[in-house]
Amino acid sequence: MLYNNLSSSRESNLSYSTELPPQQPLSNSGYIQAGDPLALSTPYDNAYATVPGSETPLQTAYHDYPITPPPSRGMSSLSLSGTLYDNIEATIPVKENLYISQWDAQYEDLQVEKKKQMSAWESATQLDADDQAAFKRLLKEGHRDWNREYIQLVQKLNDFSQVTVSIWKSIATLAREFVDTARLYAKILISELCLPDSQKTIPAKDLGGVAGGQKFVFHGIIFKLALDTKLTDGDKPFWMYGGQHGACDVNAMKAAKNDLKGMEAWNTTRVDGFNSPLIAVIDYKGYRMTAMSVLPLDSDTLKYGSDNAGRSVHTDIPELNNMFQAAAGVLNLKGHVTGSVPGKKQIVYGPGDLEGHLGTDGRYYVCDFGRLFPCEDPAYRNTENKRVVFCTPLRPEFVKFYPRPLCSDAFTSWNSDDNFDIRNRHNQEVSEATKYLYEVTIPQFAGYLDTLNIQLEDNMSKDDIEQVISIFGPAVFHSRGINMRHMGYVRERVQNVTMRKLLLSACVARVVKDRMKSMMRDRMHEVRVPSDEPFREAIVSVFNLMLGQNKSSNLYWLDEVKDQIREKFVKCLSPAEESDTFNLKDAVDIRFLLMMILELTGIQIQKKASTHLLRRPHSFRFVESDIKRNEEKVKFFAFVYLSEAMSLLMRARSTNGQESTRLVNASIEKYRRSFCSMPICPLVNLMWADALKEKAMRKESVEKKLAVLKSSYERFDIAYNNNPNVSMTLILWAAALRYHATLIDPSNTSLIKELMDEAEDKESQATQKPATLCSRINVTE
């Protein structure tokens, strides 16, 4: 815990006031010593310290609040009370002429606990005012059982009669609080990565497992640092994601994001009795960290799968085994034999390291979803590193609707049936699926992109550019079962000149993002301080390199960026673009390139810089003051957006006029964002369709109403195809059809009858399905 084990002392009295006196000049008597709780507490409490018997002010290096020093020079002790912790008293040494910014070099004799306190405050000072307030609040709260709160709320959704605005709002609030807490502490943990372990606020913990990187536990949340893990030492070390080629942190970060993607897909199966953690992925200063709510698990709760690289594989509870089989069936995943010890192998559904637990609270939990879906055939990847099988899964949307069930562990040692022919068949089926992806799915998608008529005007605004980017962004790729790493193959098939330029800009944006993140990680090791300032120079240098404002810009566009694209996006470049004399800068749109980089990295630039950049992209030159903030990027479970959308839509139905329209439009935007993460979730598509119907009802003209209803029907159709057993899909779809009938000219009786008959048919079908918001599978029935 932060700031614990403070020694008690009453050698001196220290009183606090929450009102600041007039500013006083800085004294020469000294600075608060590094690591002092006094320096930590004062800024948060907006307070200053007064030591009886002295009138000389003392300032810390962190803020301008006047603090009175002890009456004597040298080392003294102050009693701390009424600070961040209301009932804690601590001994606070104060030493003159010691600057906090130089603490690492000058304070080797400080106690370890005080260094840990210092590290926490150094990290916290980089937070904005809102984050500092949250930091203070969270420290006072202590441990929080996120899992218990989450389950109690989500269970109420199983009873449709209990689903109210307040329930959705409570879920949304809890989810947001989890994400905000995870984001806050991830920033501090990442800022401390380069400090010695003894000085870190939160020590790393060994939680088992082979992959996953360094782990921390704090405030009811497990944090996993996504860096490659060395599996074996010696003359030829072997890494989890880089193999014998050395550490590959980029692939480790991909694997971390796959954990979130797998969990969201798993939750769409709606198998009754499964529970999963709250989870978020935070990118900051070139690092990636996964945050997951602590679950009620221990060394004895594992009942399905393996947590020791297959040495032991559990299938201990028949009911749980059936639940896994049912969920895998929904996702189109087949059962297979796994395990590394002869005679102890088991048949599992999903990857061998997908864990099922019977928690200490008596509930079933599933975790470690990173390899839920099979990897694509590595023969299609342009790399000698065969460990890519652990970070290049096929998309959930592709696997679910592929004609044949696939093996999650294909092309890995987890596919370990003693019968070679069976193992080979699992691999061959995934190889055929990969071939279908490249030879059917991708060409079809490229054909769709060729039909888009996009005009790139010289005077496009930021909103215009963002609107165009959304047309071919990740959600569009993912909903068709295509990963962003396939953009090169997509571009190879696209003939549309404008779309080729935009796709190349997107590819370059992603290789620049990787370059920038790598530079940030290197800079972290160089400067070893949590400040944002050292990173601005690196960001500016990369931007100017792309804009042609660097002496190496020409070489970068002629050579370096091409090498990176060849490695990351196979088949992206045409023969002409591959030429040593072709300047790739001429084939991209700099405005779109920069905007996509900002979106991918979380970097924020000043408004004036953004305006000038869009007007004169080829003559603009960045300076450090143009960088407003290097913000963290947070990817969280789509249920955050979904619960917010549900709350907004239900509130819209209880209001009128412009406020109701505003709430409906806000809910549609939340559904859209949720869809970007979970395209195959029937509940997302269902409620998005219903929100569109509500929007249609608020349009003024019949023509506009019918146009929005058409979009609503498309969403209903997607929701039904994703899961035909959802009764509410049919009920709400029928309601939309009945409303449609009221818009038709009364003289058109045949069309009205057709709409009403179709509505009745859907209502009849709905009576044969479970009356739930989204049907669940009960394996005991």
Side-chain angles (χ1 to χ4, degrees):
M1 298 294 290
L2 292 172
Y3 319 130
N4 59 357
N5 300 325
L6 299 177
S7 58
S8 177
S9 171
R10 293 188 180 274
E11 295 180 18
S12 177
N13 294 320
L14 180 66
S15 62
Y16 264 70
S17 169
T18 57
E19 297 182 1
L20 292 178
Q23 181 66 55
Q24 303 178 47
L26 177 63
S27 167
N28 293 325
S29 60
Y31 285 78
I32 293 295
Q33 179 173 301
D36 286 342
L38 180 62
L40 301 182
S41 306
T42 301
Y44 289 134
D45 287 342
N46 195 29
Y48 71 98
T50 304
V51 179
S54 175
E55 299 179 353
T56 309
L58 179 67
Q59 292 179 316
T60 70
Y62 297 122
H63 52 75
D64 295 328
Y65 299 160
I67 300 178
T68 306
S72 60
R73 296 169 64 86
M75 298 297 294
S76 300
S77 294
L78 303 178
S79 174
L80 177 65
S81 62
T83 61
L84 193 59
Y85 292 92
D86 292 336
N87 298 314
I88 294 180
E89 296 183 348
T91 300
I92 307 174
V94 179
K95 195 170 184 178
E96 65 179 13
N97 297 325
L98 297 179
Y99 291 85
I100 292 179
S101 61
Q102 300 173 344
W103 70 276
D104 194 40
Q106 298 183 12
Y107 290 99
E108 295 180 356
D109 59 336
L110 288 180
Q111 298 176 5
V112 170
E113 184 58 37
K114 292 189 179 297
K115 288 187 177 181
K116 290 166 65 177
Q117 295 166 7
M118 174 61 195
S119 121
W121 175 239
E122 285 266 15
S123 303
T125 56
Q126 304 308 313
L127 308 177
D128 58 29
D130 291 339
D131 283 350
Q132 287 190 20
F135 183 67
K136 172 184 175 180
R137 174 180 57 80
L138 292 172
L139 288 177
K140 286 184 175 181
E141 284 182 359
H143 179 81
R144 183 171 179 180
D145 193 342
W146 301 97
N147 177 69
R148 180 182 57 80
E149 295 181 50
Y150 181 57
I151 287 179
Q152 288 177 348
L153 288 172
V154 172
Q155 284 183 334
K156 294 180 180 180
L157 299 179
N158 295 334
D159 185 349
F160 187 69
S161 63
Q162 292 190 45
V163 180
T164 62
V165 174
S166 62
I167 291 177
W168 283 115
K169 187 175 181 180
S170 296
I171 294 174
T173 299
L174 176 67
R176 280 289 180 183
E177 287 177 352
F178 172 82
V179 170
D180 289 343
T181 302
R183 175 186 59 82
L184 182 64
Y185 280 107
K187 289 174 68 174
I188 292 177
L189 286 167
I190 290 172
S191 294
E192 294 183 345
L193 286 178
C194 295
L195 293 177
D197 289 342
S198 60
Q199 297 174 20
K200 291 180 180 178
T201 305
I202 306 170
K205 289 195 175 184
D206 183 6
L207 301 179
V210 176
Q214 203 172 17
K215 301 177 180 69
F216 307 83
V217 180
F218 190 71
H219 203 71
I221 302 175
I222 298 174
F223 295 89
K224 300 180 183 179
L225 182 63
L227 293 177
D228 204 354
T229 305
K230 187 185 293 185
L231 300 181
T232 61
D233 288 307
D235 296 336
K236 297 181 178 180
F238 195 84
W239 296 80
M240 176 65 202
Y241 298 103
Q244 70 271 24
H245 303 285
C248 186
D249 293 333
V250 171
N251 286 351
M253 293 181 190
K254 291 179 181 178
K257 196 170 183 179
N258 290 338
D259 197 22
L260 173 59
K261 181 170 62 179
M263 186 201 75
E264 291 188 323
W266 187 267
N267 287 342
T268 68
T269 65
R270 304 292 292 170
V271 172
D272 199 21
F274 275 137
N275 298 281
S276 56
L278 297 169
I279 190 170
V281 178
I282 302 97
D283 289 339
Y284 186 55
K285 293 182 177 178
Y287 289 90
R288 173 166 290 174
M289 188 165 274
T290 301
M292 183 181 74
S293 57
V294 172
L295 300 178
L297 313 179
D298 57 34
S299 58
D300 297 323
T301 58
L302 181 63
K303 304 300 179 183
Y304 194 93
S306 174
D307 64 352
N308 57 10
R311 291 188 295 275
S312 58
V313 181
H314 296 264
T315 53
D316 303 347
I317 305 176
E319 178 189 36
L320 185 59
N321 300 343
N322 293 336
M323 291 167 63
F324 269 86
Q325 183 175 355
V330 174
L331 297 176
N332 204 26
L333 300 173
K334 67 189 304 186
H336 64 285
V337 173
T338 193
S340 59
V341 179
K344 294 185 178 181
K345 299 178 181 181
Q346 301 287 347
I347 295 177
V348 299
Y349 290 82
D353 54 354
L354 178 67
E355 298 180 14
H357 292 258
L358 177 59
T360 56
D361 61 351
R363 297 186 177 96
Y364 289 129
Y365 293 91
V366 188
C367 55
D368 289 351
F369 300 92
R371 294 196 315 107
L372 180 60
F373 294 96
C375 66
E376 65 177 74
D377 186 340
Y380 284 80
R381 303 305 301 163
N382 184 31
T383 178
E384 295 180 358
N385 179 18
K386 301 307 179 184
R387 304 290 290 180
V388 295
V389 297
F390 293 109
C391 60
T392 55
L394 296 168
R395 285 291 309 179
E397 301 81 10
F398 177 83
V399 174
K400 180 172 182 177
F401 296 107
Y402 186 70
R404 181 181 299 163
L406 301 175
C407 172
S408 299
D409 284 328
F411 295 108
T412 75
S413 59
W414 291 89
N415 176 20
S416 57
D417 197 296
D418 292 334
N419 187 317
F420 170 81
D421 291 337
I422 294 178
R423 297 199 310 272
N424 188 59
R425 184 167 67 247
H426 293 329
N427 292 342
Q428 185 61 33
E429 288 170 348
V430 172
S431 182
E432 292 171 357
T434 306
K435 182 179 180 181
Y436 185 89
L437 171 68
Y438 281 88
E439 297 185 2
V440 178
T441 305
I442 288 177
Q444 288 177 348
F445 180 56
Y448 158 75
L449 293 179
D450 273 333
T451 66
L452 301 179
N453 183 21
I454 300 175
Q455 302 296 324
L456 303 184
E457 305 292 344
D458 291 337
N459 59 345
M460 295 182 74
S461 67
K462 181 181 177 182
D463 290 342
D464 293 335
I465 291 176
E466 290 177 347
Q467 179 65 29
V468 171
I469 291 175
S470 68
I471 295 175
F472 67 99
V476 180
F477 274 72
H478 295 166
S479 64
R480 289 163 173 78
I482 302 172
N483 284 287
M484 298 308 289
R485 65 175 180 268
H486 297 127
M487 274 198 299
Y489 288 95
V490 173
R491 185 173 186 264
E492 179 192 27
R493 300 273 187 166
V494 169
Q495 303 299 315
N496 185 310
V497 175
T498 301
M499 185 54 63
R500 284 183 59 80
K501 174 174 283 193
L502 292 173
L503 288 171
L504 181 59
S505 300
C507 291
V508 174
R510 280 164 172 76
V511 300
V512 171
K513 175 202 69 175
D514 291 344
R515 175 193 178 102
M516 197 170 286
K517 292 176 72 171
S518 178
M519 289 179 64
M520 288 183 180
R521 292 194 297 272
D522 292 341
R523 189 58 59 92
M524 280 275 287
H525 286 279
E526 292 172 6
V527 300
R528 301 177 69 84
V529 295
S531 173
D532 280 341
E533 294 304 320
F535 300 93
R536 294 179 186 268
E537 181 182 350
I539 293 170
V540 167
S541 67
V542 174
F543 281 162
N544 285 334
L545 183 69
M546 291 184 302
L547 292 173
Q549 302 296 331
N550 185 295
K551 61 182 180 181
S552 301
S553 294
N554 199 46
L555 179 62
Y556 175 76
W557 285 106
L558 286 171
D559 184 45
E560 183 178 345
V561 72
K562 292 182 183 180
D563 289 340
Q564 295 168 348
I565 288 178
R566 291 187 193 103
E567 180 179 355
K568 190 176 181 71
F569 298 106
V570 181
K571 302 288 187 179
C572 179
L573 302 178
S574 67
E577 293 164 343
E578 289 276 9
S579 170
D580 293 339
T581 60
F582 186 92
N583 191 323
L584 211 57
K585 185 182 176 185
D586 298 333
V588 303
D589 188 301
I590 291 294
R591 300 167 302 172
F592 281 81
L593 171 59
L594 266 295
M595 287 300 167
M596 284 187 276
I597 292 174
L598 296 178
E599 172 62 25
L600 290 168
T601 61
I603 296 170
Q604 297 181 11
I605 62 176
Q606 300 290 351
K607 185 176 181 179
K608 288 185 177 180
S610 176
T611 300
H612 292 165
L613 175 64
L614 294 180
R615 289 177 181 174
R616 299 184 297 275
H618 296 286
S619 61
F620 185 82
R621 180 180 179 85
F622 274 95
V623 294
E624 291 182 22
S625 59
D626 291 327
I627 308 302
K628 183 178 180 181
R629 187 178 296 111
N630 181 20
E631 198 69 27
E632 71 282 356
K633 285 283 295 182
V634 182
K635 174 74 174 178
F636 43 79
F637 50 109
F639 204 60
V640 175
Y641 289 133
L642 177 60
S643 52
E644 289 175 338
M646 296 292 285
S647 174
L648 288 167
L649 184 59
M650 296 180 78
R651 286 165 56 192
R653 291 190 173 117
S654 63
T655 58
N656 299 304
Q658 293 183 349
E659 176 65 9
S660 178
T661 301
R662 185 183 69 82
L663 291 174
V664 168
N665 290 334
S667 73
I668 289 174
E669 174 59 21
K670 296 292 184 181
Y671 285 126
R672 185 193 66 79
R673 293 188 180 188
S674 185
F675 172 81
C676 290
S677 296
M678 292 194 302
I680 62 174
C681 179
L683 181 56
V684 171
N685 287 288
L686 165 59
M687 300 315 300
W688 189 359
D690 194 42
L692 287 170
K693 185 207 74 172
E694 293 288 336
K695 181 176 181 178
M697 295 173 66
R698 288 159 177 79
K699 289 293 183 180
E700 295 181 357
S701 69
V702 172
E703 182 180 2
K704 291 181 179 180
K705 290 175 182 288
L706 294 177
V708 178
L709 275 176
K710 180 180 178 181
S711 298
S712 175
Y713 294 153
E714 292 173 355
R715 287 291 144 196
F716 278 124
D717 188 58
I718 293 173
Y720 183 79
N721 288 331
N722 282 341
N723 190 341
N725 295 315
V726 178
S727 62
M728 286 304 296
T729 301
L730 297 167
I731 293 172
L732 296 178
W733 199 344
L737 289 166
R738 290 185 179 279
Y739 172 69
H740 188 168
T742 66
L743 303 176
I744 305 303
D745 189 315
S747 63
N748 194 346
T749 57
S750 60
L751 178 56
I752 294 175
K753 184 178 185 304
E754 180 182 343
L755 291 169
M756 296 300 289
D757 288 346
E758 186 176 354
E760 290 178 5
D761 179 62
K762 293 188 185 304
E763 289 168 342
S764 176
Q765 293 180 51
T767 61
Q768 305 171 27
K769 303 179 186 298
T772 60
L773 188 63
C774 193
S775 69
R776 300 181 71 88
I777 300 173
N778 191 327
V779 299
T780 62
E781 293 179 352

